[in-house]
Amino acid sequence: MNEKELISQAFAARERAYTPYSHFQVGAALLTREGKIYLGGNIENAAYGPSNCAERTAFFKAVSEGERQFAAIAVVGAPEGTKKELFSACWPCGVCRQVMREFCGPDFKIFTFSGKEGITACTLAELLPHAFGPQMLENGR
């Protein structure tokens, strides 16, 4: 699957976001190494703290189904009703970056979309340098 198809899937996931408070809809399409896609939308809660980002929704769905090997994720987000040509790049928050690091290596690809720039890509290492990962806990054994 190429990045254009993955971005398209993220737009489809965005349509299912539950955002009655912020009205900022985010969609994510997570690609496993075997080619399966898990979609996630952000899910808000009136208490705010229990809300969940689109990226984590996709990861948690995949992991709960037994997936552990991931290749890439596409993330798109903008206020409800925004036309595609007015989208700005929507990068994962710090919590989502840390969840990605739990399950992905430094070469994991992250794609986002901007109406002006099109598709932008980076690796997890670029997005989260000097990451704390599972190997940090193995050193003391």
Side-chain angles (χ1 to χ4, degrees):
M1 166 158 299
N2 68 39
E3 61 266 18
K4 286 182 183 178
E5 293 169 349
L6 204 57
I7 287 286
S8 177
Q9 291 290 314
F11 271 103
R14 182 178 173 270
E15 294 299 316
R16 297 187 222 152
Y18 176 74
T19 60
Y21 308 106
S22 74
H23 303 284
F24 192 93
Q25 299 170 314
V26 181
L30 176 62
L31 178 66
T32 68
R33 286 197 184 152
E34 304 233 340
K36 190 168 182 181
I37 297 174
Y38 288 86
L39 303 179
N42 55 324
I43 303 168
E44 294 180 347
N45 186 286
Y48 292 105
S51 296
N52 201 50
C53 296
E55 301 92 312
R56 284 182 283 142
T57 298
F59 265 96
F60 295 163
K61 285 169 67 175
V63 171
S64 72
E65 295 295 322
E67 299 286 354
R68 298 292 188 274
Q69 302 292 315
F70 303 102
I73 193 167
V75 182
V76 298
E80 186 178 304
T82 301
K83 295 179 181 177
K84 196 172 180 180
E85 60 270 12
L86 298 177
F87 268 57
S88 295
C90 183
W91 294 101
C93 75
V95 174
C96 289
R97 293 174 192 200
Q98 187 61 47
V99 168
M100 289 176 193
R101 180 56 194 95
E102 181 68 23
F103 297 103
C104 306
D107 60 340
F108 178 73
K109 288 281 193 184
I110 298 124
F111 301 102
T112 190
F113 175 83
S114 160
K116 290 183 180 181
E117 299 170 5
I119 296 172
T120 304
C122 72
T123 64
L124 184 55
E126 293 168 320
L127 199 59
L128 186 64
H130 313 292
F132 185 91
Q135 79 285 356
M136 303 295 284
L137 300 175
E138 295 172 0
N139 291 339
R141 292 186 191 172

